[in-house]
Amino acid sequence: GDKTTHHLYDLDSDLILVYFNNPDCESCETVKQRLAENKLINRLVNNKKLTVLAIYPYEDQKLWKKAKYPKMMINGWNQSQQIEYELYDLPTLPCFYLLNKEHKVLLKNEGSLNKVEATLKSLTMPSN
């Protein structure tokens, strides 16, 4: 397995989509599938414009190890609870945060993948 630890600040894409999820939650799995199949998101990832970071915010390592994540995601487990909880206030899972290169939060606590996609479109499509 890949033992390297990734830090948010090592990522050099323009946008970072943080996907907080729990492998035990059915809607999280559905959203994960939709993410994996989303053309826009995959295109942005392939063009190195977007990094998708899947974060499991709880402590059950066995559960996390069992979970399968699509190739287009970096799978991060918040083992040391490094994610500052004052920054990420997680009301419901799954939820998304979208950060820019400077790690400024552009979308917060967003439960809707459609909303995420619309925001990504508006940020990455040349405006007329």
Side-chain angles (χ1 to χ4, degrees):
D2 174 17
K3 287 268 185 293
T4 52
T5 314
H6 292 280
H7 287 280
L8 206 53
Y9 300 103
D10 300 341
L11 304 171
D12 62 352
S13 59
D14 296 345
L15 295 165
I16 301 160
L17 182 61
V18 186
Y19 172 48
F20 287 100
N21 71 101
N22 180 351
D24 256 5
C25 117
E26 233 168 89
S27 54
C28 293
E29 292 301 296
T30 310
V31 169
K32 194 157 71 181
Q33 263 327 105
R34 287 179 56 205
L35 269 173
E37 291 159 10
N38 187 293
K39 288 191 177 65
L40 173 68
I41 289 175
N42 277 288
R43 191 172 71 238
L44 293 173
V45 169
N46 292 336
N47 296 341
K48 306 272 188 284
K49 295 236 184 300
L50 175 70
T51 301
V52 181
L53 188 60
I55 300 277
Y56 168 61
Y58 307 119
E59 280 151 12
D60 185 345
Q61 191 176 3
K62 280 198 191 68
L63 175 67
W64 180 75
K65 283 256 195 303
K66 280 201 321 245
K68 297 269 181 288
Y69 289 90
K71 285 230 185 333
M72 42 76 84
M73 285 184 196
I74 294 175
N75 185 2
W77 177 46
N78 185 23
Q79 182 178 9
S80 52
Q81 306 291 323
Q82 270 164 336
I83 300 230
E84 304 84 36
Y85 280 110
E86 63 275 14
L87 178 59
Y88 300 108
D89 143 47
L90 307 175
T92 51
L93 293 182
C95 83
F96 293 100
Y97 275 68
L98 182 64
L99 313 179
N100 69 7
K101 214 187 197 77
E102 287 76 45
H103 302 106
K104 185 172 156 269
V105 177
L106 307 175
L107 260 189
K108 181 181 171 169
N109 284 342
E110 184 49 65
S112 155
L113 183 54
N114 295 341
K115 178 81 188 288
V116 168
E117 186 176 14
T119 306
L120 285 171
K121 264 199 186 107
S122 69
L123 290 167
T124 57
M125 297 289 172
S127 51
N128 299 326

